[in-house]
Amino acid sequence: MILSATLSQEFDLMQASVTDLDTEDIGLCRTGDEDAYARIVNRYQPLIARQMWRFTRDAQKLEELVQEVFVEAYTSLHSFKATAPFEHWLRRIATRVGYRFWKLKARDTERREKLHLHNQETLPSAKNASPSEATEYLFTLLETLPAQERLVLTLLYFEGWDTQEIADHIGWTRSLVKVRAFRARKKLKKKLEASGYVSA
């Protein structure tokens, strides 16, 4: 019982300390102190990452969602009333971000399915397609790729940028550009082969 009471007291002190740190850093954030918000991010990033892992198993998307949570929290910091622990307030924002991600993902999946059905019904096959029709089909297929992969192929083949230029403009590493370009080309080739535009 003594040990249990001691642990409980230590936990209460730890919680109080964290709350004091939050209160101090939030106050500094509201005066424009960017270092204070960096401390908040470092303090809660592991917690938010664990929560967002429930919404996606994609490591890259997970990182994006965690960043989105902290951006939204920063822009909403003026609305934090301190009537509940900051952690609870932050986790509510994380839940909203995750739910919004699911809704957008479901909407995007439905759009892609409809677009695929439309392609099958209306777009010409390779055997009788004119050059302009084939080009239009290519652009339609690009629309079915994830935004980052579509961007890489567009910049590579329509803008004529090399991988280093893309990396410099977007803020990715050159290796990441190459990996995404490889994946995008592979997906696009598979789609074109299915329609007879590329020999298997």
Side-chain angles (χ1 to χ4, degrees):
M1 293 294 292
I2 294 175
L3 178 60
S4 177
T6 301
L7 289 174
S8 177
Q9 290 173 354
E10 290 179 353
F11 179 77
D12 289 342
L13 287 173
M14 182 180 70
Q15 289 294 96
S17 176
V18 171
T19 300
D20 290 343
L21 288 174
D22 289 339
T23 300
E24 179 180 355
D25 284 336
I26 289 169
L28 291 171
C29 284
R30 287 170 170 166
T31 66
D33 189 329
E34 294 182 0
D35 290 338
Y37 197 66
R39 290 193 294 271
I40 290 176
V41 172
N42 290 334
R43 193 177 304 141
Y44 287 105
Q45 195 167 37
L47 173 72
I48 297 303
R50 287 195 298 272
Q51 181 172 348
M52 303 319 290
W53 187 243
R54 301 174 186 174
F55 293 95
T56 180
R57 290 296 189 266
D58 183 302
Q60 180 183 330
K61 182 57 66 175
L62 174 67
E63 183 179 349
E64 292 173 0
L65 290 177
V66 171
Q67 290 177 355
E68 187 174 342
V69 170
F70 284 107
V71 169
E72 186 165 325
Y74 183 78
T75 58
S76 304
L77 205 56
H78 65 279
S79 68
F80 177 63
K81 304 300 182 184
T83 55
F86 180 73
E87 174 188 326
H88 296 177
W89 181 79
L90 191 60
R91 286 172 67 90
R92 283 197 298 271
I93 291 177
T95 299
R96 289 199 303 268
V97 169
Y99 179 61
R100 187 164 63 233
F101 165 69
W102 273 352
K103 287 173 64 177
L104 290 173
K105 185 177 180 181
R107 190 181 307 161
D108 187 56
T109 299
E110 182 181 3
R111 183 185 66 83
R112 290 172 188 271
E113 290 174 351
K114 289 180 178 179
L115 181 59
H116 178 72
L117 180 61
H118 172 75
N119 291 342
Q120 297 302 313
E121 293 176 347
T122 64
L123 291 174
S125 66
K127 294 180 180 180
N128 57 12
S130 67
S132 62
E133 288 174 329
T135 300
E136 191 64 29
Y137 186 59
L138 177 61
F139 274 100
T140 303
L141 287 181
L142 280 171
E143 284 289 321
T144 68
L145 295 177
Q148 292 171 334
E149 293 177 359
R150 186 165 72 246
L151 177 62
V152 168
L153 292 188
T154 299
L155 295 178
L156 274 173
Y157 297 109
F158 296 104
E159 297 297 331
W161 293 5
D162 61 32
T163 53
Q164 188 59 58
E165 287 178 307
I166 295 173
D168 292 340
H169 279 79
I170 301 179
W172 298 342
T173 64
R174 190 176 184 185
S175 296
L176 183 57
V177 172
K178 290 181 177 179
V179 168
R180 286 179 174 160
F182 173 78
R183 291 175 179 171
R185 282 194 295 261
K186 187 176 180 180
K187 289 179 183 178
L188 190 60
K189 183 173 183 289
K190 186 176 180 180
K191 293 174 183 290
L192 288 169
E193 286 176 347
S195 301
Y197 281 86
V198 179
S199 59

